Amino acid sequence: MIDPRVLRDDPARVRASLAKRGLSDEVVDRSLAADSARRAAIAEFEAKRAEQKSMGKLVAQAKGEEKTELLARTKALAAEVKAAEAAQKEAEDTWNECLSSMPNLTAEQTPPGGEEDFALLETVGEIRDFAAEGFAPRDHVELGRMHAAIDLERGAKVSGSRFYFFTGIGARLHRALIAMALDMAHENGFTEVVPPSLVKPRAMEGTGFLGQAADDVYTIEGQDMYLVGTSEVPMAAYHSDEILDAEQLPFRYAAVSPCFRKEAGSHGKDTRGIFRVHWFDKVEMFVYTTLEEAPAEHERLLAWERQFLDALELSYRVIDVAAGDLGLSAFRKFDCEAWIPSQERYREVTSTSNCTDFQTRRLDTRGRFAKEDGGTATGPIATLNGTLCSVNRPIIALLEQHQQADGSVRVPKALQPYLGGLEVLVPVHPAEQA
């Protein structure tokens, strides 16, 4: 949640941020009213409690009729204290509900608007002119079939639409990309993690995924558990209810896990192939750092994502995502979008978000900071996340961008050691396909 002090002291900033996202600022008025009601309820409860304590002393000293009257007043006061306490709890719940429903603030640099209103930061690499090369590019579905690498038909038979099997060289590519991503993360000082893919409600709520993204979350029937759509969720909850030594920050983790998404709002979109699916594996970078260092760390995460895409020799662009396309917890977000020849457009393959202290406030993760007088004090810290490799989409971009006229696919030099030295992927003869 956002810092309550910002809401109280600078509500205009909160209103402006909501407007950038294209949202109503009604929640600001509701939150401020709830805060006033909460403060009044606290004052009323404390006043009644103070009167109750002083009344107890008077009863102890009183005698006769006076004591009888005081006892009657004490009984009535006990009921008033109980009612005041209930009113305080109700006001606190309303206040917390208002705060929890409010998205993070947005960065000053973040452009206003929706999905198409991003700011283009840079374009990397040349777009191949397949017409000049004398052939039309095949899409990843056809290439996957030619290489016996992606089996969509059996995926649908076994699990339904938007499922698939990676087979043969497809499975090897999957393993190679994860290994390459983890090696790169290790070289850059990340601690490798294999987190659980099932989490309790608090982890999902704490990261903001039971807000606007709730329709995409898989719930385990009969259990109070959720399947995660990204390992950002368990990693954000990893240090929940902890106080971290600020001098030891940043904590950088590279988490590899399966991800599950309903894709509830994508009916009719990207139904062909493996671009938008219900399950995929991903290597996710997750960082805890100070609020002051978070913007610079965000740039570093983007640089590591670009390092991975450069190693795959892909053409891509970098965008500053518009406010209306940010998730609930993101303060600022960069996407890297690879060129997909068969679609003749750029599509997202990685993203990185600075969530400031939005998630840590919800999950009660704080930092312990040294004070000038030699003591320590606790304060808010930031979380950031970034996709290093989501496997499916890099495979799409790799197959399509590096394809040759005969259907073979050139293997980027950096990936070759992970494929046993293979320089070219050669289509499988139809007789050899299962």
Side-chain angles (χ1 to χ4, degrees), residues 406-423:
D406 62 356
S408 63
V409 177
R410 181 178 62 82
V411 178
K413 188 174 181 179
L415 190 61
Q416 291 174 15
Y418 296 94
L419 290 171
L422 275 178
E423 297 181 3

Side-chain angles (χ1 to χ4, degrees), residues 65-327:
E65 187 176 336
E66 180 187 8
K67 186 166 187 174
T68 301
E69 292 175 356
L70 287 173
L71 285 171
R73 172 58 187 150
T74 299
K75 185 177 180 180
L77 190 57
E80 292 173 15
V81 168
K82 187 175 181 180
E85 185 177 21
Q88 177 187 335
K89 183 181 183 306
E90 183 179 353
E92 290 276 6
D93 290 344
T94 302
W95 163 246
N96 288 326
E97 181 185 340
C98 289
L99 275 183
S100 297
S101 68
M102 200 177 300
N104 200 354
L105 299 172
T106 54
E108 183 179 343
Q109 306 94 319
T110 297
E115 184 177 357
E116 301 302 322
D117 299 310
F118 59 84
L120 177 62
L121 300 180
E122 187 176 357
T123 300
V124 179
E126 297 293 327
I127 294 175
R128 281 178 64 184
D129 187 346
F130 284 94
E133 295 181 34
F135 74 101
R138 301 174 175 88
D139 73 0
H140 73 279
V141 174
E142 185 177 357
L143 290 165
R145 188 177 297 117
M146 291 174 67
H147 288 263
I150 306 168
D151 195 330
L152 293 163
E153 291 76 16
R154 290 188 175 99
K157 177 181 71 175
V158 172
S159 301
S161 63
R162 299 187 189 272
F163 286 94
Y164 53 92
F165 284 86
F166 281 131
T167 56
I169 193 60
R172 289 182 65 191
L173 272 173
H174 176 279
R175 172 161 53 93
L177 286 167
I178 288 178
M180 180 174 156
L182 287 174
D183 281 353
M184 186 175 290
H186 179 75
E187 290 165 5
N188 286 307
F190 284 78
T191 299
E192 292 181 29
V193 180
V194 179
S197 295
L198 282 167
V199 297
K200 298 176 181 178
R202 186 172 179 232
M204 199 67 79
E205 290 168 351
T207 42
F209 283 89
L210 290 186
Q212 65 194 63
D215 289 344
D216 263 347
V217 175
Y218 281 105
T219 306
I220 303 301
E221 295 295 331
Q223 299 182 44
D224 212 13
M225 300 285 282
Y226 296 89
L227 283 169
V228 301
T230 168
S231 52
E232 172 191 347
V233 176
M235 294 316 300
Y238 187 53
H239 288 297
S240 58
D241 304 314
E242 295 182 24
I243 299 175
L244 309 181
D245 185 349
E247 291 186 0
Q248 294 183 9
L249 298 177
F251 289 169
R252 296 186 179 120
Y253 300 106
V256 58
S257 74
C259 305
F260 304 91
R261 300 180 184 180
K262 287 184 178 179
E263 294 292 353
S266 64
H267 180 72
K269 296 180 182 178
D270 299 306
T271 55
R272 180 173 170 80
I274 60 170
F275 185 85
R276 196 179 302 276
V277 292
H278 293 310
W279 152 76
F280 59 95
D281 290 328
K282 181 170 63 148
V283 178
E284 180 82 355
M285 298 178 288
F286 196 88
V287 179
Y288 292 84
T289 191
T290 63
L291 290 172
E292 294 75 17
E293 186 61 22
E297 186 71 9
H298 196 198
E299 296 286 350
R300 282 189 283 269
L301 287 173
L302 175 60
W304 285 317
E305 290 180 345
R306 294 183 56 171
Q307 179 187 0
F308 186 75
L309 298 179
D310 290 342
L312 294 178
E313 302 172 24
L314 297 177
S315 300
Y316 63 94
R317 69 181 183 185
V318 183
I319 66 170
D320 198 342
V321 177
D325 200 28
L326 296 177

Side-chain angles (χ1 to χ4, degrees), residues 389-404:
C389 176
S390 59
V391 183
N392 289 41
R393 294 184 181 185
I395 284 179
I396 293 172
L398 189 152
L399 291 176
E400 294 203 16
Q401 286 196 27
H402 298 325
Q403 64 179 294
Q404 309 300 317

